[in-house]
Amino acid sequence: MLSVKDLSIAYKVGSNDVVAVSNSGFDVPKGTIVGLVGESGCGKTTMARALTRVIADNARIAGGEIAFDGQDLAALPEAKMNALRWRDISFIPQSAMNSLDPVYRVEYQIMEVLRDRGGMTRRAARARAAELFEMVGIDKGRLRDFPHQFSGGMRQRAAIALALALNPKLVVADEPVTALDVIIQRQILDQLRTLQRELGLSVIMVTHDISVVAYTCDRTVVMYAGKVVEDCDTATLLNRPLHPYTMGLKNAFPDLKSAGSGVLTPIAGSPPDLADPPDGCRFAARCPFAAELCRSTEPAPLEVEKGHIVACHRASEAAQLRLEASKPQTWEAMA
Ligand SMILES: Nc1ncnc2c1ncn2[C@@H]1O[C@H](COP(=O)(O)OP(=O)(O)OP(=O)(O)O)[C@@H](O)[C@H]1O
């Protein structure tokens, strides 16, 4: 239903171009949740926003294609794109406070979308707002509240209700549970997952936390420094990752299900400056397995097993590398 191909997005900073997303792509099959994961600054939000074409003033789509239902969103005139927002594609932003205006009652905000974008009468919109609250597990008696009267979890649920208001086909959720504690995270993710199945939605979930994708997503796309480095069904990605960055991310986050047991090993160092990316593999400087070739030549993304795409020169040795990557000292040696 959505196919991103070879997409590049650049920010103009002074006289420089910062290419935040570079020749990257992935598919979101109909009715699936796809996670977009990577650490801060890897280009997840830029990618997610480009899909709805709500991008910063200094950003531009520098190349590539966003195929959605037979149209290329990267090239669609703004008026046509605007007609698709809410109705076909909706966005849950990083903080629910960004989607809810603090000065208006929540009901008014949902009704406004339903009336302005959905052409509903006031009466129909009021009934739909109540139905949406029920869907996301909030008592409809709370519709008359202002956003500040809601807890963080309720605000996030209300943001989900707002995103679902006009029955979109695709929902892009940017870090939808990041600011919440683990128990509330789980409840919201469960709710999102249930609604996704019931409504047959396609969802892109942006997160820095691999335990969130492990808990929720059918497929996972791992980004590093503006590039997709691995893309696979989530179970295989977690059990048999082929990219050392994915192996490192797995060690760096607690499991949402076991709520915090186990030793966490961070990946030392930080991603490269995107204004001046290195030659070769962008992860090489932090990779315990980097070889000479990795520093000189960029690996192309290849489908090495059916449905499993990876950009790593050493992917064929992944079984051995996974053993090494599971030892904390492998990563500590890079610090
Ligand atoms: N408006 C902007 N102007 C210039 N550079 C930007 C702008 N927005 C983002 N960037 C840069 O683009 C890169 C990718 O940022 P982006 O926010 O997409 O990453 P992210 O993975 O979503 O990180 P986070 O989780 O922190 O939001 C970063 O290097 C960031 O500094």
Side-chain angles (χ1 to χ4, degrees), residues 11-13 18-21 38-47 56-59 94 174-175 206 208 272 274:
Y11 291 103
K12 196 97 203 142
V13 181
V18 173
V19 185
V21 172
E39 67 205 304
S40 185
C42 71
K44 313 177 293 289
T45 296
T46 303
M47 172 75 92
D57 290 343
N58 63 334
Q94 226 170 70
D174 190 1
E175 303 271 10
V206 173
H208 66 283
L274 292 177

